[in-house]
Amino acid sequence: MNRIDQRFAELKAQGRRALIPYITAGDPTPQYTVGFLHALVAAGADVLELGVPFSDPMADGPVIQKACERALRHNVRLSHLFEMVREFRQTDRDTPVVLMGYLNPVERIGLEAFADQAADAGIDGVLTVDMPPEEADEFGPILKARGLASIFLVAPTTSRERAATICAHGEGYLYYVALKGVTGAATLNADDVASHLAPLRELTDLPLCVGFGIRDGASAAEVGKVADGVIVGSALVGRIAEHAEHPETIAGELSAVLAEMRQALDALPPR
């Protein structure tokens, strides 16, 4: 069983919500990324999303755009991400790792070569922001053959017909984008999120995880009342930016942010 499926099965049996942090690989410098991943797991992460630095991250707001710029200044590439995950796997063989990024870096090395290297490194899922399900007929089977989950986004503006197509192709979990805009944009509305998740549950048995706008324990708890998991990115990446001049302090900062969210989620009644 894919580590993502196994982790969500464990959480469901426990009545708990998934906590999924995102950081950009190589930010602020490559040598700290693996330590950040371990710190996030220790603070309560259930699944890790590791961002692939890209020069034109169109779905991301200024916070993550600047994180990509910091990483790219150190020439961080997909090959470096694979090495980071291999190093992470030396001491953590259980926590699922999802690569999140854009199609261009993947196509540069080739779909099959990418999938082979990702699986060999110990990656469990791939979320390619600009790969719609209508164009995933080639890539999806390549990933599936290697035990990698294809994870897709659903937006508030997604029609029911298109959502059904996305759900039919999706694996691992469904990433519901809580806001109309880019990452880190605005304050989310939990009631609005609930109204969009209800019809999605009629279309899929995949866990529904919500990202964009999760900033603290309070917002995580509000979303956790209606979702199977919460995804936090900009709130963490912002801390990295604030402390980029003293990277040795960043792991503690990330742990503090995530631990507050973990405590808030675990205080909710079992699902």
Side-chain angles (χ1 to χ4, degrees):
M1 180 184 290
N2 182 289
R3 270 183 286 246
I4 300 171
D5 297 331
Q6 184 171 342
R7 179 55 52 91
F8 276 101
E10 293 168 354
L11 290 167
K12 184 175 181 180
Q14 298 164 3
R16 299 171 67 233
R17 287 82 170 166
L19 181 55
I20 306 176
Y22 164 98
I23 60 171
T24 301
D27 177 32
T29 57
Q31 65 264 38
Y32 288 96
T33 298
V34 174
F36 293 167
L37 295 177
H38 285 303
L40 292 169
V41 173
D46 296 298
V47 179
L48 297 167
E49 286 187 353
L50 187 59
V52 181
F54 186 54
S55 58
D56 188 23
M58 75 272 302
D60 295 298
V63 172
I64 294 178
Q65 288 178 14
K66 290 176 181 177
C68 287
E69 292 173 4
R70 289 191 295 270
L72 289 172
R73 282 200 290 268
H74 295 279
N75 298 311
V76 175
R77 300 290 186 268
L78 268 173
S79 59
H80 299 116
L81 268 76
F82 297 144
E83 288 304 318
M84 291 171 183
V85 178
R86 283 193 186 91
E87 182 180 345
F88 175 76
R89 287 280 175 240
Q90 291 177 10
T91 50
D92 188 324
R93 303 198 61 81
D94 299 321
T95 304
V97 176
V98 173
L99 287 196
M100 184 172 181
Y102 298 84
L103 187 57
N104 184 273
V106 174
E107 289 189 321
R108 285 193 64 184
I109 66 172
L111 301 182
E112 294 208 11
F114 166 82
D116 285 338
Q117 293 176 50
D120 182 69
I123 291 159
D124 305 287
V126 178
L127 197 168
T128 310
V129 176
D130 51 350
M131 168 79 80
E134 294 87 350
E135 299 179 16
D137 288 343
E138 179 183 4
F139 195 29
I142 289 173
L143 293 176
K144 191 177 185 68
R146 292 155 177 82
L148 298 166
S150 297
I151 298 167
F152 288 95
L153 301 167
V154 176
T157 54
T158 302
S159 68
R160 183 177 178 86
E161 179 181 11
R162 181 168 173 74
T165 300
I166 292 171
C167 290
H169 284 79
E171 299 170 326
Y173 57 92
L174 201 64
Y175 188 135
Y176 176 73
V177 176
L179 304 170
K180 299 175 184 178
V182 294
T183 57
T187 302
L188 58 79
N189 183 311
D191 291 336
D192 183 63
V193 171
S195 70
H196 284 88
L197 293 188
L200 285 176
R201 293 197 186 279
E202 299 173 2
L203 300 174
T204 183
D205 293 328
L206 288 172
L208 304 182
C209 299
V210 176
F212 288 42
I214 310 294
R215 299 176 182 274
D216 50 26
S219 55
E222 283 300 304
V223 170
K225 293 175 182 177
V226 297
D228 301 307
V230 300
I231 303 167
V232 55
S234 293
L236 296 171
V237 177
R239 288 294 183 96
I240 292 174
E242 291 171 12
H243 298 272
E245 297 299 320
H246 300 281
E248 68 280 359
T249 68
I250 292 174
E253 294 290 331
L254 299 180
S255 296
V257 174
L258 207 69
E260 179 193 351
M261 295 182 181
R262 179 79 274 168
Q263 184 177 9
L265 289 173
D266 288 347
L268 294 172
R271 286 193 61 81

